[in-house]
Amino acid sequence: MKNQWDQRVAIITGGAAGLGLETAKRLIAAGVTVSIFDARQEAIDRALPELGPTASGHRVDVTDAASVDAAVAAVVGRTGRVDILINSAGITGQTNIKTHEISMADFSRVMAVNVHGPLQLFKAVAPTMLKQGYGRVLNVASIAGKDGNAGMASYSASKAAVIGLTKSQGKEYAETGILINAVAPAVVRTEIVAAMPDEQVAYMTAKIPMQRCGTVEEFATLAMFIVSAENSFTTGFCYDLTGGRSVY
């Protein structure tokens, strides 16, 4: 029986750490050729030995069209295709702060990375996926985009935008073989969470009925299904990964 992952090629932004890195490991173990995109060369250099010889890495600024286009062109030039795009790169911006105290420069930066980034990546891979008649896109949103987190207005607004973008994309490309979905995690212990104030993390964790954080392994398990060929009749949807916090 043919392995559904054979000859598949994946791009993962924010792939040098956290959710992206764990998912990259799972995909590689399944036989997928993975390229991680990250803004931090030192993180890429640390990650690649963990991922093995089939993986590649590109230093990419997801907010910069030229940077994105060049990296995607390099992947397509080397492999001839892109089957999977996981938009995992993201930043929180200022947290534990009231909205009227937010720096507009910080707000703009959060929107640029968290919203413009996934759109820019999709624009770059879409021509190849359309030509193939196949693609799986996973946009990493957040429970903050559904419910809103106090003290995190910039992040919450950006992730709500990611969910809205996913819904529109899913409907637009539903007949092309390209399925586009999102996942909304609650608190998952990653570098981005570790950088938050303890009181902000405690506030978010207290809202989870399971009374614990999620794990990168739990995220990767769900992500593997979302970007699989077996996931063939769901698009424009936002999957839950919140320990019971979100039930819609």
Side-chain angles (χ1 to χ4, degrees), residues 55-220:
S56 64
H58 296 266
R59 185 177 181 182
V60 177
D61 178 356
V62 297
T63 71
D64 180 75
S67 177
V68 169
D69 290 346
V72 170
V75 172
V76 175
R78 186 175 66 254
T79 66
R81 59 189 302 116
V82 178
D83 301 285
I84 297 165
L85 169 64
I86 300 177
N87 284 306
S88 181
I91 59 174
T92 60
Q94 294 172 305
T95 62
N96 199 32
I97 189 172
K98 293 289 196 296
T99 302
H100 73 278
E101 299 171 320
I102 292 171
S103 156
M104 288 307 297
D106 186 75
F107 181 86
S108 295
R109 176 64 178 163
V110 172
M111 295 299 288
V113 174
N114 294 359
V115 185
H116 298 184
L119 176 57
Q120 195 66 60
L121 263 297
F122 182 74
K123 284 169 65 69
V125 304
T128 299
M129 288 185 173
L130 285 167
K131 183 178 179 180
Q132 296 166 179
Y134 180 89
R136 295 292 184 269
V137 179
L138 173 58
N139 295 323
V140 180
S142 170
I143 184 58
K146 286 187 174 184
D147 285 3
N149 279 339
M152 299 182 70
S154 299
Y155 183 74
S156 298
S158 74
K159 293 303 185 178
V162 169
I163 294 171
L165 176 65
T166 302
K167 290 179 178 180
S168 293
Q169 289 177 305
K171 292 175 180 178
E172 287 177 1
Y173 297 90
E175 296 181 272
T176 68
I178 304 171
L179 305 187
I180 303 153
N181 292 289
V183 60
V187 191
V188 178
R189 284 290 181 182
T190 61
E191 288 181 7
I192 197 171
V193 172
M196 293 181 189
D198 290 342
E199 54 267 36
Q200 186 70 55
V201 177
Y203 162 81
M204 295 187 296
T205 305
K207 291 180 174 292
I208 299 173
M210 288 188 184
Q211 291 295 297
R212 68 170 177 87
C213 295
T215 68
V216 293
E217 292 81 9
E218 287 169 326
F219 173 90

